[in-house]
């Protein structure tokens, strides 16, 4: 089963070495990170891994962050996922340090007015209570 999944994952890889959410979709940080983690968990180590890792590293901005898609603003969730992924690969200390340094300087935006209304007036729509003022 792992071999079949690995084969499909490698077939869905884009020509730039990364992965998109679906085959032939633009490469993005999230899909590339999950694909690399999946390949590593399955014990697969090939040129595809190296190309995917190279693409993930190339998507990092000079100051350490990753966007979800190239050309988009830097994304704390994408950066966190890239850091988790890179922690499983050798020789990635420098990009991890740059990414972590950027990530700890970020602050959340708090909850949207819609989320605040839903939690107050329709709590059954929210599976768990959360602190909406947390940044």
């Amino acid at each position: 089963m792992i071999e079949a999944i690995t084969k499909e994952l490698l077939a869905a890889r884009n020509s730039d070495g990364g992965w998109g959410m679906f085959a032939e979709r633009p490469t993005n940080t999230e899909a590339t990170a999950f694909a690399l983690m999946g390949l590593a968990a399955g014990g697969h180590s090939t040129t595809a891994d190296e190309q995917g890792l190279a693409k993930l590293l190339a998507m990092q901005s000079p100051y350490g962050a990753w966007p979800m898609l190239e050309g988009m603003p830097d994304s704390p969730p994408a950066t966190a996922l890239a850091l988790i992924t890179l922690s499983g690969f050798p020789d990635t200390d420098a990009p991890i340090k740059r990414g972590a340094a950027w990530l700890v300087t970020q602050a959340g935006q708090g909850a949207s007015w819609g989320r605040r209304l839903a939690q107050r007036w329709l709590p059954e729509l929210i599976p768990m209570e959360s602190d909406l003022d947390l940044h």
Side-chain angles (χ1 to χ4, degrees):
M1 181 169 191
I2 290 176
E3 287 180 32
I5 293 169
T6 298
K7 195 175 204 177
E8 284 206 31
L9 197 52
L10 292 173
R13 186 171 55 91
N14 290 332
S15 61
D16 65 3
W19 283 264
M21 282 302 181
F22 301 100
E24 300 179 26
R25 297 298 307 231
T27 293
N28 71 60
T29 299
E30 183 179 39
T32 300
F34 282 131
L36 288 169
M37 285 191 281
L39 289 169
H44 187 76
S45 181
T46 67
T47 304
D49 293 0
E50 294 169 14
Q51 291 172 345
L53 182 59
K55 180 59 180 176
L56 186 64
L57 290 169
M59 292 176 73
Q60 186 179 30
S61 71
Y63 43 88
W66 274 265
M68 192 55 75
L69 286 165
E70 289 181 300
M72 292 186 73
D74 296 327
S75 167
T79 299
L81 186 57
L83 295 176
I84 291 167
T85 302
L86 292 176
S87 70
F89 289 89
D91 303 321
T92 56
D93 288 348
I96 288 173
K97 286 178 182 176
R98 279 197 330 274
W102 178 85
L103 192 59
V104 299
T105 67
Q106 303 307 298
Q109 302 297 312
S112 68
W113 63 269
R115 169 70 186 221
R116 290 179 182 281
L117 286 174
Q119 185 163 314
R120 173 126 170 106
W121 299 106
L122 300 167
E124 65 275 5
L125 295 178
I126 310 295
M128 67 175 65
E129 191 172 324
S130 59
D131 181 352
L132 300 180
D133 294 318
L134 187 62
H135 292 272

